[in-house]
Amino acid sequence: MLAAIIFAVSLYLQAVIGYFAALIMLCAVTRDDAPRLAKFLTMILFLVALPDLSDDYHRYLWEGYLGLKGYSPYLYAPATLADIVKHPSGPLVNNPHLTAIYPPLAQWMFRLGAFVHPSIWGWKCIIALSFLVSYAFDRSTLKLAFVPIVLFEGFWNNHLDVLGVILLWHLPKALERKQPALAGALLGLVCALKIVPILWLPFMFTSLLPQMRRQFLASFALAAMTPWLFHADEGFQLWTSFLVYTKTWSFNNLLYHCMQLFATTHVARIALISGFVVVYVAIFFSEKSWRTKALLSWLALICFSPTFYPWYLLWLVPLVTHTKHINGLYACSFLSYAVLLGFRKHGVWQESWWWLVPEWIGLGLFAFIVVKEELQ
């Protein structure tokens, strides 16, 4: 209750430090046996709160509304239609010169949200409905309603990733129950929302019995590729902004920050990519379970990617046995929101050593704890 009060007051004041205090309190009281009523009320509190730490949702709303009006977000950047299509989120989209970066299934979800209501409330309805449908199939989904990172980055700041996490929540059980078609379809849908989780495909594929692999791969391909077929006529435009992102984006990676002191941006990116490939191959050929490999590969991706936002940790939630082990990682990553202090006060987006160093020391420590706990 105290955490909820601190969060509500911080929301009114737009105080990043207050959010951090509320987060730490939520991490401290999170437990699996928390009353269901407390979980539902906490989830509702974060669902009705307007996003504050990220403006990504403005692009969701804009692209969903654009699609309903008959324009392809892969062909038209927000800046090119500013005078034609009117929507409150239009002028607030970041990088308005870039076309859509999100895969087709994500665009369908954006349009569905815009159809419900062309505001943040339409998108929040999609997130809430996805959670309720998941809960109807598997009551253990309720555990997500009391995981701090899900509350903050999913239900409050409304990142698309939370829809993938809800789908991914069912995947381990599908594999355990020897349901390759369902597992493949779930992973395919996840990759149709966000491309990067395709990294886990080899781990899951090789973990299955040989007679199950063809069924798994077929259902994966069907679920992952079908949404793309509806946009086949847009060709290379589907990948334009994604390639720009991979080549130019950078934020909140201490390793990349340090490498830039001694090498060019291009050399630093090549070194990071090479490092990730080596680690990924080593993980693939290890004797670990698919779940441990997925966990290790995602931690490696965070370590070697030039760009790391706190909500990237959302994807770890379905991969760990005890979600409370993610709390420490997320609390450390939350320090990166200190960039908003200078941005809101002076309009300057500037990374700083004073929060980068302690953040990554903490991330390293808690990543070690998470991996150690999962290997036991």
Side-chain angles (χ1 to χ4, degrees), residues 23 48 82 98 120 153 155 164 170 173-174 198 233 245 293 308:
L23 169 65
V48 300
L98 293 178
I120 188 60
E153 303 297 349
F155 297 146
H170 302 273
K173 288 185 179 180
I198 199 173
D233 59 327
Y245 173 83
K293 290 180 180 180
F308 168 52

Side-chain angles (χ1 to χ4, degrees), residues 302-313:
I302 288 171
C303 181
F304 289 103
S305 173
T307 306
F308 168 52
Y309 291 104
W311 55 89
Y312 292 3
L313 291 170

Side-chain angles (χ1 to χ4, degrees), residues 47-338:
L47 270 174
V48 300
L50 292 176
D52 185 48
L53 295 178
S54 171
D55 60 1
D56 281 8
Y57 70 95
H58 285 302
R59 183 170 281 274
Y60 304 167
L61 302 184
W62 166 259
E63 292 181 355
Y65 186 74
L66 199 67
L68 285 184
K69 292 296 181 181
Y71 297 94
S72 171
Y74 294 113
L75 301 178
Y76 300 96
T80 62
L81 292 177
D83 297 329
I84 301 174
V85 179
K86 299 296 182 180
H87 188 278
S89 287
L92 302 175
V93 173
N94 57 42
N95 299 291
H97 60 290
L98 293 178
T99 54
I101 190 175
Y102 302 106
L105 183 56
Q107 297 297 333
W108 294 3
M109 300 306 291
F110 298 159
R111 292 183 191 183
L112 185 58
F115 177 77
V116 174
H117 196 275
S119 70
I120 188 60
W121 302 114
W123 180 239
K124 281 182 175 286
C125 283
I126 298 303
I127 293 175
L129 182 61
S130 300
F131 177 84
L132 291 175
V133 170
S134 176
Y135 176 73
F137 282 97
D138 186 350
R139 296 302 175 89
S140 71
T141 306
L142 187 60
K143 291 181 179 180
L144 293 176
F146 217 57
V147 179
I149 188 173
V150 176
L151 292 172
F152 271 71
E153 303 297 349
F155 297 146
W156 174 30
N157 287 303
N158 302 134
H159 287 289
L160 169 68
D161 304 60
V162 73
L163 298 186
V165 171
I166 291 172
L167 283 169
L168 191 61
W169 185 259
H170 302 273
L171 203 152
K173 288 185 179 180
L175 288 173
E176 291 169 6
R177 295 170 180 170
K178 308 299 182 183
Q179 298 173 306
L182 177 59
L186 286 170
L187 183 62
L189 290 173
V190 168
C191 294
L193 279 171
K194 299 280 284 193
I195 298 171
V196 183
I198 199 173
L199 290 170
W200 301 330
L201 177 63
F203 306 147
M204 297 177 190
F205 178 79
T206 53
S207 72
L208 292 168
L209 296 174
Q211 60 268 30
M212 296 181 179
R213 293 176 180 175
R214 184 179 299 178
Q215 197 175 0
F216 172 81
L217 204 58
S219 60
F220 169 82
L222 182 64
M225 297 305 298
T226 299
W228 292 91
L229 296 178
F230 288 89
H231 295 268
D233 59 327
E234 289 161 289
F236 188 74
Q237 290 293 327
L238 294 169
W239 300 94
T240 302
S241 292
F242 180 78
L243 294 176
V244 170
Y245 173 83
T246 56
K247 291 179 180 179
T248 62
W249 247 259
S250 67
F251 174 68
N252 190 32
N253 184 298
L254 183 61
L255 180 59
Y256 182 68
H257 213 60
C258 291
M259 292 181 69
Q260 284 189 304
L261 297 175
F262 310 100
T264 64
T265 298
H266 182 65
V267 171
R269 286 181 179 273
I270 291 177
L272 289 177
I273 293 172
S274 302
F276 175 73
V277 170
V278 171
V279 172
Y280 182 84
V281 171
I283 292 171
F284 176 77
F285 285 105
S286 68
E287 297 298 324
K288 312 298 182 186
S289 67
W290 76 264
R291 203 164 177 168
T292 302
K293 290 180 180 180
L295 172 65
L296 292 173
S297 65
W298 202 259
L299 290 173
L301 181 67
I302 288 171
C303 181
F304 289 103
S305 173
T307 306
F308 168 52
Y309 291 104
W311 55 89
Y312 292 3
L313 291 170
L314 268 170
W315 295 95
L316 295 179
V317 175
L319 299 178
V320 298
T321 307
H322 302 289
T323 53
K324 64 180 181 180
H325 297 145
I326 302 299
N327 293 347
L329 279 171
Y330 181 55
C332 292
S333 71
F334 204 86
L335 293 176
S336 65
Y337 282 123

